[in-house]
Amino acid sequence: SIEEAAKRGKRYVRLLTLLIFFFLNLTACGGVSRPGRDHLVVALSAEPATLDPRWATDAMGMRICGLIFNALVRVGPSLSPVGEAAESWSVHGADYTFVLRQDLRFHNGRAVNIEDLRFSFEQFQKPGGPFASVLSDIQVREISRKDGQLIVRLRARGSRDKFLLSDLPAIKILPKAEIEADPEGFKKRLIGTGPFRFAGQVDNEIRLLSAGAKIPKLTFKIVRDD
């Protein structure tokens, strides 16, 4: 009937108007915040639970923490251990000796010291923490300084591969003085020794800046898509 045709026509006009409005807004938004050539934006489907490496256990949180904080060693591209904070290491039975890089500094410019390293192991092995049981087989034998370089001596039970590829990479180097001065504030002003420094987290974005990495700006944007 003519009445039904008129109704269908009105519905068609409303739908067409909504589509035009949608595409106009999509085009406008696309031209507003395009990142520059020095800026990499990575989309995440969910926000990490925390970026404090002592408590980060979800995959994305641990990966971002790995950009801000250094461990002594990490897993390399060929799935073998490579030095991160450590420039070299040696193994004698269950004893491991790590020689750290001389240029190892926190993002605020302070050099890493013996107390920072001792504190880091204590924090990750602290009873009640998510890593305590996994790292209970690691014993800190000695942390010292020789010829300007920090040396860490550890004793570990179990598989060498598990220790170097799984256990030790979980322990990130933490700034003792800064954490003890403001324990809660540290979560908002993360300070590590990694290739990126924490620039803030606002409006569903986690912003990092280069601290030696080739990418000047790195932003993780949380885009939830059910």
Side-chain angles (χ1 to χ4, degrees):
S1 67
I2 296 176
E3 184 177 349
E4 290 177 350
K7 289 181 179 178
R8 285 197 298 270
K10 288 180 181 178
R11 286 198 296 269
Y12 174 77
V13 170
R14 284 199 296 268
L15 178 60
L16 184 61
T17 302
L18 286 172
L19 287 172
I20 291 172
F21 178 78
F22 171 75
F23 282 111
L24 284 175
N25 276 277
L26 188 63
T27 304
C29 291
V32 171
S33 58
R34 189 180 301 276
R37 291 179 178 272
D38 64 342
H39 189 182
L40 177 63
V41 179
V42 179
L44 303 181
S45 60
E47 183 178 354
T50 179
L51 292 179
D52 187 329
R54 295 170 295 179
W55 302 98
T57 56
D58 59 293
M60 198 51 62
M62 293 179 73
R63 287 171 181 166
I64 296 177
C65 284
L67 299 175
I68 303 171
F69 299 89
N70 280 151
L72 294 181
V73 297
R74 62 179 175 82
V75 181
S78 61
L79 300 182
S80 58
V82 297
E84 195 166 59
E87 68 174 24
S88 65
W89 66 91
S90 58
V91 184
H92 300 283
D95 293 329
Y96 297 76
T97 300
F98 298 86
V99 180
L100 275 59
R101 303 191 331 252
Q102 284 188 316
D103 63 346
L104 197 61
R105 291 182 174 274
F106 291 108
H107 297 146
N108 61 1
R110 183 173 70 77
V112 176
N113 60 40
I114 291 174
E115 290 305 312
D116 294 317
L117 295 172
R118 197 179 306 280
F119 174 80
S120 300
F121 280 92
E122 291 171 353
Q123 289 290 296
F124 281 91
Q125 293 179 312
K126 196 172 184 179
F131 301 99
S133 60
V134 176
L135 303 176
S136 61
D137 288 342
I138 300 175
Q139 178 187 359
V140 180
R141 303 278 287 174
E142 182 185 25
I143 302 176
S144 59
R145 186 183 295 274
K146 182 179 179 181
D147 298 330
Q149 287 185 284
L150 289 165
I151 298 173
V152 179
R153 292 185 171 89
L154 306 174
R155 174 167 290 178
R157 294 194 297 267
S159 163
R160 180 182 301 183
D161 286 343
K162 179 179 181 296
F163 174 65
L164 291 174
L165 294 175
S166 177
D167 297 345
L168 199 56
I171 302 176
K172 309 300 184 184
I173 297 175
L174 303 171
K176 178 182 179 181
E178 287 79 355
I179 291 177
E180 290 186 336
D182 189 2
E184 289 302 314
F186 174 73
K187 299 175 183 178
K188 299 178 182 179
R189 295 183 297 276
L190 300 166
I191 301 172
T193 60
F196 287 92
R197 66 179 178 86
F198 183 68
Q201 183 172 356
V202 291
D203 299 331
N204 291 324
E205 290 186 359
I206 299 169
R207 300 171 183 172
L208 308 181
L209 296 175
S210 173
K214 293 181 180 179
I215 301 171
K217 299 178 184 177
L218 176 58
T219 296
F220 292 92
K221 195 173 185 67
I222 293 89
V223 183
R224 295 177 178 84
D225 184 359
D226 294 335

